[in-house]
Amino acid sequence: MAMRLSRSIVGEAEAKAVSRVLLTDGYLGMGNETRLFEQEIAAFLEVDPAQVVTTNSGTAALHLACDAVREISGKGIEKPEILVPSLTFVASFQAITAAGCVPVACDVLEETGTLDLEDAARRITPNTIALMFVDYASNPWHLDDVYAFAREKGLRVIEDAAHAFGCRHHGRRIGSFGDIVCFSFDGIKNITCGEGGCLVSFDPEATRLAADARLLSVENDTEKRFHGGRSWDADVRRQGWRYHMSNIMAAIGRAQLKRFEKEFMPKRTLRASVYAQRLCKVEGVRLFETDLKDFIVPHIQVVRVLDGRKDMLKEALLKEGIPTGLHYKPNHLHTFFGGGAVSLPAVERLYEEIVTLPLHPALSCQDVEEICGVIKRTLA
Ligand SMILES: *Cc1c(COP(=O)(O)O)cnc(C)c1O
């Protein structure tokens, strides 16, 4: 079978869960399964279920987070700004503009690909309301410092933790502390619902806004739906969206969550450690730094290829049937986000160097050895 860069790992358990919804429950929309999934996510993160708001994508969760922060902290500011590292999925940027805010692209640290706080500090204006931190390649690098920085500058924090489900920063699970944390459960993330996501908020006002806004801002509709009813006669006071998670998606997510700690987590960490062992001494390849006090469940395996040899290596890998990816084209280079009007040296250098190698639980450790062998031979 052809080697894949990433893939969904679903089977009998997920199929049974979906059949249960289709054949037994019969209610496909947002109902009991969604309520249970929110409870189980909350138990996993050790937070209150009321803090968890599931959505139909990670992008939707980010949009709702930006919308809530704008509503709470952006009053009287015509174009509220949100600081965001340029090295992220375009979803982070699109979520910010969707909420009527301006994404202010920041540079990243070359050794980790995560937000460079010194660069971010220089980009703060009176219109800055928040910063978005991205756990790039699942790395919650210096997240405590990020929160300290935000507190000092009076900024809200939205974590794009799409890569970081199951990770820990200095012992604490990502999503168990902070301000507003967003996860993605799209097909290839650490767990999947098919498509889906969730937001975990530590500000009750933001949670309420997000929970309502995912159901067209029909007030308290979540509670009604979770008990088999609807808010037929409720008031609507602000913009909302159809962003809720269906019972079908939640059923898949519940099956995935049960498999996470025994199966997905150890498989992902083992494959990443084989990559690290085999590549750490290869000349011309550099791995991103991590903090030994953090626990990383890697969603993607990114390496830096130095000396302008990235394209050559990608071709050599492809010849051996090994696909590679790019995470990501820096967002400040996209036409919609300024087309390179600012220059961000570290992220632009990384853009020349980064290659994503295959990583998913169905990849064998033998496959990883083989990939590393091709890299060694090609760069020797
Ligand atoms: C996957 C991802 C998202 C968006 O999540 P979707 O569920 O695909 O909408 C946002 N940010 C990052 C960094 C991602 O990898």
Side-chain angles (χ1 to χ4, degrees), residues 57-60 62 88-89 91-92 134 160 162-163 183-186 189 195-197 299 328:
S57 74
T59 307
L62 287 167
T88 183
F89 188 37
S92 315
V134 180
D160 179 345
H163 294 184
F183 294 108
S184 162
F185 305 135
D186 79 21
K189 293 283 161 51
E195 295 289 348
H299 158 56
Y328 297 92

Side-chain angles (χ1 to χ4, degrees), residues 205-330:
E205 171 77 351
T207 320
R208 188 187 61 76
L209 285 164
D212 283 348
R214 76 172 152 178
L215 287 163
L216 299 169
S217 289
V218 176
E219 291 181 353
N220 299 317
D221 206 20
T222 292
E223 269 314 295
K224 296 275 174 8
R225 282 170 191 258
F226 279 171
H227 295 96
R230 292 282 296 277
S231 304
W232 298 112
D233 202 17
D235 192 16
V236 173
R237 297 169 210 261
R238 53 191 308 275
Q239 175 71 58
W241 296 272
R242 288 283 283 179
Y243 277 173
H244 59 278
M245 177 180 281
S246 77
N247 271 347
I248 297 177
M249 299 158 86
I252 298 172
R254 293 181 66 204
Q256 289 266 302
L257 187 57
K258 285 201 189 80
R259 297 173 67 179
F260 178 73
E261 286 200 282
K262 275 206 202 88
E263 191 182 345
F264 303 147
M265 187 174 92
K267 287 194 170 183
R268 284 186 177 275
T269 51
L270 177 61
R271 279 143 192 77
S273 71
V274 176
Y275 271 123
Q277 279 166 26
R278 294 292 177 263
L279 296 179
C280 66
K281 294 212 175 64
V282 176
E283 197 146 347
V285 174
R286 198 163 295 165
L287 297 156
F288 282 112
E289 271 179 43
T290 54
D291 180 342
L292 290 176
K293 286 192 294 202
D294 289 342
F295 175 68
I296 292 178
V297 186
H299 158 56
I300 47 175
Q301 178 65 53
V302 184
V303 298
R304 297 169 61 189
V305 182
L306 312 179
D307 312 316
R309 299 208 286 170
K310 168 175 125 159
D311 291 338
M312 185 269 281
L313 178 65
K314 283 172 77 91
E315 267 168 45
L317 286 164
L318 195 59
K319 258 202 208 112
E320 301 293 328
I322 301 163
T324 58
L326 167 65
H327 294 84
Y328 297 92
K329 175 174 177 166

